[in-house]
Amino acid sequence: MRTDSSPGTLPAREHLPAAGAGTPVLDVVIPVYNEEKDLKPCVRRLHEHLTRTFPYAFRITIADNASTDSTPHVAGRLAERLPEVRSVRLEQKGRGRALRTVWSASDAPVLAYMDVDLSTDLNALLPLVAPLISGHSDLAIGSRLSRSSRVVRGAKREFISRSYNLILRGSLQARFSDAQCGFKAIRRDVAQVLLPLVEDSGWFFDTELLVLSERAGLRIHEVPVDWVDDPDSTVHIVKTATDDLKGVWRVGKALATGSLPLDRLARPFGDDPRDRTIQDVPQGLARQLVGFCVVGALSTLFYLLLYSGFRTFTGSQMANGLALLVSAVANTAANRRLTFGVRGRGGAVRHQAQGLVVFGIGLVLTSGSLAALNTATSDPAHSTELAVLVAANLAATVLRFLLFRAWVFPDRGRSHGTPAEPSWQDAPAAPAWQDAPAAPAWQDATLPLQPVRSPLPTRPYRPSSPSDLDPRDFR
C-alpha cells in the first residue's frame, strides 16, 4: 500500500464554472485490450450520445492496454475522424494502470470511465456526472444492485458479484452497493489526491479507490443503471476474483494498521455554501461526542466488571485503582482511534502518558467519593458503592472529554482558528498534464506510468485559458 505520498486537505467543493473554448468538462476513458471489433461501434455510439445529450464540452479517451491486434490502428482512425476523440497507447496491461495514467494527465474537471462493451445504458451517464459538476459529490458510481436497476445477466455472474460485495461489506465495512460496475466518475481535484494512494493497477483498482474514498469521508453518489451482460466478455473470472481477494486483504491490513493518511483527505467544514458564513464552529464536535459517549459507556461497563472482580480479593480503594488503571489504558486507546481518528503508532506512548494524567484526575474524583462514603458510613453496601462510583465516573467523564479534546488529541488546525496549511501550498499551481512532456501525437503517445507528482492546491478549479493549451492534447 502506498504511503509515501503527501496528500493535502481537499478544498470545499465548488460548482464547476462553464469551461472555456476547447476545454472539456468531461473526459470519458475507455480502457481496451484487443477490442478491434467492438471499439469503433462503441466509440461512435458514445460520441453520438454525448453530442446529442451532454450540455458541456467533452472528450473521449481510448486507453489501449498494450493490445496485440489492430486495436491501436482503429483507435488512431477514430481520433483522426472525430475531433472529440483521442487515443493513448500504454505498453503495459492493466485497467487500473490505464485509468491512473490518463486521469493523472487529463485537464478535464470531471473524469469518467466505462467498459467498451457499453453494457450500461448511456442514459445514466448524465445523472452520473451531474452531482460532480454541481459540487454535490466527490465520486459517482453506477449500481446494478440498486432496487430500481434493471439487470440482465447469468446466474454465475450474479452470484459472484453479490458475493464479492458481501465480502467487502463484511471485511472492509464498505457501504457502497456495487464495486465492480464499469461505470464510474470522479472529480479531478479528488483524483489528484487519491490516485497516489491507490496501489492496484488491475481490476481491483475500482474497489480500492472506493474504499479509500469512503474511509476518508468523501461523498459517493450512486446511480441505478440498466445493465445487460456481455456474453463475449474476455474477463478471466477466477483470476480476477483471486486478485480481488488479495487486494481486500492488503487494503484491510493497511487500514487496520493506520498506514494510510486518510484523515488528511477530509473536506473542511463549510463544504455547504450555506455554512460558510458561520464562524467558530468546532469541527467534528458532534461526531466526537457520539464516539466518546459510546467508548465511555463501554469503558464504564468494563470498569465495573473489573472493580467487581478485584473487590472479591482486595479492598475498595485498591480495587478501584486497579480497575480504573486498566480501563483507562483501554479507554485512551479506543478514543485515540475511534473518537479522534488518530491512526498509526506515532505519538501513541505520549498519548497514553497524557491519558494516565487524565486517569489520575479521575482517580482523585472516584477515590475521594469512596473516602467520603466511608466517612459517612463504616460499612456501606456494595450497591451503594457502585452508585457513588457511577456518579463520580460521570463527572470524571465530562472532564476527560474536555482534556482529551483540548490537550491529549487536539486539532492543530482548529486550535489556530484555521485549517493547517501544508508546506506545498505556496508552490505555484499547475495542472498535472502541463508538466508532462509533449508527445508527437496522442495516438502515438505513451504516457509516463507514475502517480501525480504534485498534490492539489487548495483553491477551486479554474479552467485554463485556450492560449495555455497544447492543441495536440485535444485530438
Side-chain angles (χ1 to χ4, degrees):
M1 181 63 62
R2 291 186 175 128
T3 59
D4 56 344
S5 59
S6 299
T9 302
L10 287 168
R13 286 184 294 263
E14 298 282 351
H15 190 297
L16 296 176
T23 304
V25 169
L26 173 66
D27 192 347
V28 182
V29 181
I30 304 177
V32 293
Y33 173 73
N34 290 348
E35 298 287 356
E36 57 184 3
K37 294 182 179 179
D38 295 334
L39 181 57
K40 182 177 179 180
C42 160
V43 172
R44 286 196 172 276
R45 178 183 165 195
L46 176 60
H47 183 271
E48 187 276 333
H49 177 83
L50 288 172
T51 302
R52 178 170 50 87
T53 65
F54 194 67
Y56 300 94
F58 65 88
R59 180 194 300 139
I60 300 173
T61 301
I62 304 170
D64 175 27
N65 288 173
S67 295
T68 56
D69 61 1
S70 61
T71 296
H73 176 71
V74 175
R77 294 290 299 273
L78 288 168
E80 291 175 359
R81 296 180 180 181
L82 301 175
E84 293 84 6
V85 176
R86 69 173 180 174
S87 174
V88 177
R89 168 75 176 182
L90 290 89
E91 299 302 332
Q92 292 178 284
K93 293 176 61 177
R95 183 179 68 171
R97 178 179 289 107
L99 292 177
R100 179 187 294 110
T101 302
V102 177
W103 282 355
S104 298
S106 180
D107 60 330
V110 176
L111 310 169
Y113 96 89
M114 62 181 61
D115 294 333
V116 68
D117 55 16
L118 295 187
S119 296
T120 304
D121 183 8
L122 292 178
N123 287 327
L125 182 56
L126 185 56
L128 183 80
V129 301
L132 308 186
I133 295 175
S134 70
H136 175 271
S137 301
D138 300 295
L139 299 91
I141 65 174
S143 175
R144 299 163 297 183
L145 302 181
S146 173
R147 291 184 177 181
S148 56
S149 299
R150 294 180 293 182
V151 177
V152 179
R153 61 177 167 181
K156 180 179 179 181
R157 285 182 175 271
E158 180 76 10
F159 174 78
I160 292 175
S161 178
R162 291 189 177 273
S163 299
Y164 180 63
N165 283 282
L166 285 175
I167 291 174
L168 293 181
R169 288 176 177 270
S171 60
L172 300 180
Q173 300 178 349
R175 295 189 299 273
F176 47 85
S177 64
D178 192 351
Q180 294 177 310
C181 183
F183 194 72
K184 296 182 176 69
I186 186 173
R187 286 176 63 104
R188 182 171 64 96
D189 53 1
V190 177
Q192 286 182 320
V193 178
L194 275 179
L195 289 179
L197 300 178
V198 180
E199 180 176 338
D200 192 81
S201 60
W203 293 96
F204 187 70
F205 175 89
D206 304 49
T207 302
E208 187 170 354
L209 184 70
L210 289 174
V211 170
L212 299 188
S213 301
E214 190 173 73
R215 288 300 187 95
L218 302 182
R219 182 176 292 164
I220 301 175
H221 178 73
E222 295 198 14
V223 177
V225 298
D226 298 338
W227 194 85
V228 179
D229 189 16
D230 178 16
D232 298 325
S233 175
T234 58
V235 178
H236 195 293
I237 296 179
V238 176
K239 183 179 184 304
T240 301
T242 302
D243 292 341
D244 286 347
L245 292 177
K246 292 179 180 178
V248 169
W249 171 260
R250 173 175 52 80
V251 172
K253 181 179 179 181
L255 292 173
T257 58
S259 59
L260 288 169
L262 298 181
D263 53 323
R264 300 180 59 185
L265 300 180
R267 288 191 180 277
F269 178 82
D271 205 21
D272 188 329
R274 295 171 297 180
D275 297 334
R276 293 174 192 168
T277 59
I278 301 177
Q279 302 295 327
D280 300 326
V281 178
Q283 298 182 8
L285 177 59
R287 179 187 60 79
Q288 290 178 355
L289 278 172
V290 172
F292 184 82
C293 288
V294 172
V295 172
L298 295 176
S299 297
T300 300
L301 291 177
F302 183 50
Y303 162 81
L304 293 176
L305 290 175
L306 290 174
Y307 176 82
S308 298
F310 292 144
R311 189 68 175 85
T312 60
F313 58 85
T314 187
S316 61
Q317 292 288 2
M318 179 63 70
N320 173 66
L322 292 175
L324 196 58
L325 177 61
V326 176
S327 61
V329 172
N331 181 276
T332 300
N335 277 304
R336 181 179 187 271
R337 177 66 179 85
L338 301 176
T339 303
F340 298 96
V342 179
R343 298 174 174 84
R345 299 179 180 178
V349 175
R350 175 175 57 85
H351 292 154
Q352 283 293 349
Q354 292 173 312
L356 289 178
V357 174
V358 178
F359 152 75
I361 297 175
L363 181 62
V364 170
L365 286 175
T366 54
S367 297
S369 299
L370 284 176
L373 177 64
N374 290 327
T375 300
T377 176
S378 59
D379 189 21
H382 183 64
S383 58
T384 304
E385 285 185 347
L386 291 180
V388 170
L389 288 174
V390 168
N393 268 282
L394 288 176
T397 297
V398 175
L399 183 59
R400 185 183 302 119
F401 176 75
L402 296 176
L403 290 174
F404 273 175
R405 182 175 170 83
W407 180 48
V408 184
F409 308 110
D411 186 331
R412 298 300 180 186
R414 184 184 64 248
S415 64
H416 294 296
T418 57
E421 296 182 355
S423 59
W424 46 262
Q425 192 170 7
D426 296 331
W433 59 269
Q434 213 169 17
D435 297 332
W442 271 110
Q443 56 265 33
D444 299 324
T446 300
L447 296 179
L449 302 179
Q450 59 185 15
V452 178
R453 285 170 291 180
S454 61
L456 179 71
T458 54
R459 57 185 177 87
Y461 169 80
R462 291 292 183 270
S464 303
S465 62
S467 60
D468 296 333
L469 305 177
D470 189 341
R472 293 172 293 185
D473 292 343
F474 302 97
R475 291 192 60 181

